[in-house]
């Protein structure tokens, strides 16, 4: 559950991504680490990637379900 406009996701391997709210909705952005986060099994690359309810975010083997409710 996200309760702030910007949330940092980190793991022990140095992978970092940021989930943030924009006017167009929520998105995830890669910040640090050797591999890009995955959303529903697809690498997001360097650009901000839009998120939808129940998307699965994977950060170096850790899976998180995106939910606003």
């Amino acid at each position: 559950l996200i309760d702030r406009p910007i949330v940092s996701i980190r793991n022990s391997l140095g992978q970092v991504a940021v989930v943030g709210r924009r006017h167009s909705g929520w998105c995830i952005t890669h910040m640090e680490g050797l591999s890009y986060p995955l959303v529903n099994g697809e690498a997001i690359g360097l650009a901000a990637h839009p998120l939808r309810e129940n998307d699965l975010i994977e950060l170096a083997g850790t899976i998180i379900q995106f939910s606003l409710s």
Side-chain angles (χ1 to χ4, degrees):
L1 175 62
I2 295 180
D3 59 356
R4 293 173 277 171
I6 298 176
V7 176
S8 178
I9 304 170
R10 303 170 181 267
N11 69 15
S12 61
L13 301 175
Q15 299 294 111
V16 180
V18 171
V19 174
R21 183 170 49 191
R22 296 182 174 187
H23 292 290
S24 59
W26 290 87
C27 64
I28 183 169
T29 306
H30 171 76
M31 299 303 288
E32 293 181 34
L34 298 176
S35 61
Y36 297 119
L38 305 177
V39 174
N40 299 324
E42 300 289 327
I44 66 166
L46 289 174
H49 182 84
L51 290 171
R52 292 173 292 176
E53 186 75 17
N54 298 319
D55 276 350
L56 296 177
I57 300 168
E58 184 174 347
L59 192 63
T62 300
I63 299 174
I64 300 165
Q65 185 174 16
F66 177 75
S67 178
L68 296 172
S69 52

